Amino acid sequence: MRSLGLLGLGFLAGAVMSLGLAPVQAVWAAPLALIVIAVLLLRTERPLQAGALGWLFGCGYFGFGLSWIMEPFQVDAAADGWMAPFALAGLAAGLALFWALAFWGAAWLARGGWRLVALMGCWILAELARAYVLTGFPWAGFAQLAMPEGAALRAVPWIGAQGFTGLLLFAVLPLAMMWRRPFQALAPMVAVLASFAWMPRGPEFGGDLPLTDHSVRLVQPNAPQAEKWLPEKRWLFVRRMLELTAAPTADGGRPDLVIWPETAIPTLQNYIDSDNLRPQLLAAADGAELLYGIQRREDGQYMNSAVVMAADGAVLDIYDKVHLVPFGEYMPLPSLWRRFGVFGLAARADSGYAPGTDRGLLDTTAGRALPLICYEGVFAQDVGAVAKRADYLVLITNDAWFGSYSGPYQHLVQAQLRAAEQGLPMLRVANTGITAVIDPYGRISESLALNTAGSLDARLPAALPPTLYSRTGDWPALFAALLLITVALGPRLRAKTRGTLA
């Protein structure tokens, strides 16, 4: 009975920690939950019990924090709605396995207070694995939890989101021993707080924030997913974007670059001319360059793409989305799922989209842009994978799939982290929102509210020099994890050595 109560508290602690995610963003949620789970871990007796504790903690956290995953299945609820609870339960249980291994490993490696040191290392490894293994899914990482004074945005240019995981665990987990060893419990927290004293803050918005000479217009059509592809409505949203694009700026001029969201145009790039769209795009842009999301077909395969169109109508560049969404944009093992009549939510041609092969930069009138399409903004390693440094990031997305509660807000937080990690501004253009201009410190300077139609005119912020994280990636986080595990093993190895000598 005592063991069941301990495990039940673990699940509850995970649910509480999910309140730190957007849109609630309770600052107290993560520290409280982490202290509770650390106390519970110290009370576990066997590694298997510790693993179960970590798994239930993860189930509570991911089960509540990722509830938006059910929203895509409601777009066509009659056909797909039955899959929603299974998708949430399967995703939460699967992601929680990474944490189960971390807790099991910590309990197997060390005893007493050293178990918390081992957990720090194992948990960092688990989060790294969650970001990379099986294409990765780092959504709801520790850097996405609300922290005082934007702590994550200040830290990630130096250590990245995975490094922030270690920083948070190092500061908070020892507090579980406060009643026994107050000095050892408080010292890591004090050290972490001191480290923030020399981490630079960004300048205040206004005259101190460097801006380029390039003007941009971000267009948010607000096309509900259930209506976006309906024959009787889909061109209505295109006309809306054309009108928003054609409107003059406040000073009567024209922007240098206009950006439309992911799959903004409900046809294939192959049919732009046959559908008589090119003249309409040129007329609306009226001398501005246009970057838009669209699907295209090549060699019998479909791609989710971003196209840059010059002021004279020529296609300057095309980017095909590289990191696709499993079960959404493509089906792993398609022949297996085909037998059961299960296809991806956005699938075309039976097994979905084909991935692009080149993660290069797009040449635009506003400079070299690193393009990201929707899900790609979740992955820090994708943003850092390009050899040449961009002038800015551009993320086009269709967050209508994510509903109106938590998904769009959590996706936006991750865009802020990507900008801060690289020290690059980001232009984020979303179908239903949240469209935003994000400065190179990861702060939102201007935005359009969720579920509204409109356009946003702004000057593109200037990039900062390359950050430390942009040079090192996640290697320091991996090294820190292995170092913590080695330190935690010290007492056990010394005891074994003494026993051998005796």
Side-chain angles (χ1 to χ4, degrees):
M1 184 65 72
R2 176 178 174 275
S3 178
L4 289 176
L6 182 144
L7 296 176
L9 284 174
F11 179 85
L12 180 61
V16 167
M17 193 165 83
S18 72
L19 296 175
L21 295 169
V24 179
Q25 294 184 300
V27 174
W28 52 266
L32 175 62
L34 289 172
I35 292 171
V36 169
I37 202 65
V39 171
L40 296 177
L41 176 65
L42 293 175
R43 295 187 178 185
T44 57
E45 299 173 357
R46 300 178 306 279
L48 191 61
Q49 185 186 31
L53 176 68
W55 184 73
L56 285 169
F57 181 67
C59 284
Y61 177 64
F62 294 118
F64 285 92
L66 301 181
S67 59
W68 58 264
I69 200 67
M70 295 193 292
E71 294 289 347
F73 299 93
Q74 307 310 314
V75 173
D76 186 0
D80 304 320
W82 65 272
M83 292 188 283
F86 296 100
L88 177 59
L91 181 64
L95 295 177
L97 288 175
F98 290 97
W99 290 12
L101 287 173
F103 277 66
W104 175 86
W108 183 78
L109 289 168
R111 302 181 186 280
W114 292 105
R115 185 176 283 186
L116 297 181
V117 180
L119 179 60
M120 295 174 199
C122 290
W123 215 337
I124 297 171
L125 289 180
E127 284 297 276
L128 283 167
R130 192 161 71 86
Y132 286 89
V133 172
L134 297 176
T135 80
F137 190 75
W139 200 297
F142 286 79
Q144 297 159 42
L145 294 162
M147 292 291 147
E149 298 184 9
L153 290 180
R154 290 181 63 190
V156 294
W158 302 91
I159 57 178
Q162 301 299 343
F164 185 81
T165 296
L167 201 67
L168 179 62
L169 295 176
F170 182 75
V172 176
L173 291 185
L175 296 177
M177 301 189 299
M178 186 72 180
W179 69 93
R180 287 189 295 174
R181 298 179 178 178
F183 177 78
Q184 291 91 329
L186 286 171
M189 172 72 78
V190 172
V192 169
L193 292 176
S195 71
F196 276 95
W198 58 263
M199 289 183 184
R201 297 173 181 267
E204 297 299 323
F205 291 118
D208 291 333
L209 183 64
L211 300 173
T212 69
D213 294 330
H214 302 296
S215 60
V216 296
R217 171 170 291 174
L218 315 183
V219 176
Q220 180 172 297
N222 191 35
Q225 191 60 38
E227 302 176 11
K228 181 176 168 63
W229 296 95
L230 293 177
E232 66 272 22
K233 288 191 175 183
R234 60 180 183 168
W235 296 112
L236 178 152
F237 301 119
V238 173
R239 288 194 295 272
R240 181 181 295 173
M241 287 185 288
L242 291 170
E243 292 170 1
L244 291 168
T245 299
T249 60
D251 61 2
R254 298 295 299 152
D256 299 320
L257 174 65
V258 178
I259 306 177
W260 289 8
E262 177 188 17
T263 59
I265 301 178
T267 186
L268 295 177
Q269 175 67 19
N270 311 63
Y271 303 149
I272 283 289
D273 290 314
S274 60
D275 287 341
N276 198 35
L277 277 172
R278 195 183 302 270
Q280 299 179 63
L281 297 175
L282 287 175
D286 190 21
E289 203 167 80
L290 179 63
L291 190 158
Y292 57 86
I294 195 169
Q295 299 168 95
R296 71 185 195 95
R297 186 180 63 235
E298 183 176 313
D299 297 330
Q301 295 182 311
Y302 293 86
M303 275 74 75
N304 186 357
S305 307
V307 175
V308 181
M309 179 180 286
D312 63 0
V315 173
L316 298 178
D317 217 340
I318 296 178
Y319 167 72
D320 298 319
K321 186 176 181 181
V322 173
H323 203 142
L324 301 176
V325 182
F327 301 101
E329 293 176 312
Y330 77 98
M331 296 298 293
L333 304 174
S335 59
L336 173 64
W337 294 103
R338 192 182 304 118
R339 295 179 184 178
F340 301 98
V342 177
F343 304 96
L345 292 171
R348 275 185 171 271
D350 184 52
S351 57
Y353 295 104
T357 57
D358 180 25
R359 191 177 292 285
L361 303 179
L362 295 177
D363 285 321
T364 73
T365 188
R368 296 180 303 179
L370 175 60
L372 303 165
I373 299 180
C374 190
Y375 185 61
E376 292 181 312
V378 173
F379 299 93
Q381 64 267 29
D382 288 355
V383 179
V386 180
K388 293 183 179 179
R389 183 166 172 80
D391 298 309
Y392 67 100
L393 308 173
V394 59
L395 189 152
I396 59 173
T397 183
N398 178 21
D399 284 4
W401 284 108
F402 300 157
S404 299
Y405 178 60
S406 61
Y409 295 98
Q410 291 177 15
H411 201 202
L412 175 63
V413 168
Q414 293 172 87
Q416 293 178 256
L417 291 171
R418 300 295 85 81
E421 285 166 348
Q422 299 295 322
L424 293 174
M426 176 184 285
L427 302 176
R428 184 182 196 270
V429 187
N431 168 26
T432 53
I434 302 164
T435 293
V437 176
I438 302 173
D439 76 10
Y441 298 96
R443 305 172 305 177
I444 297 171
S445 57
E446 300 180 66
S447 65
L448 291 172
L450 186 65
N451 296 328
T452 60
S455 63
L456 179 62
D457 290 339
R459 292 260 302 281
L460 176 66
L464 297 174
T467 63
L468 179 63
Y469 177 74
S470 70
R471 299 177 185 276
T472 64
D474 289 325
W475 289 106
L478 176 61
F479 175 78
L482 297 176
L483 179 62
L484 286 165
I485 290 172
T486 302
V487 170
L489 277 171
R492 182 174 177 178
L493 294 176
R494 287 194 296 271
K496 186 176 181 179
T497 301
R498 286 196 296 269
T500 302
L501 293 174

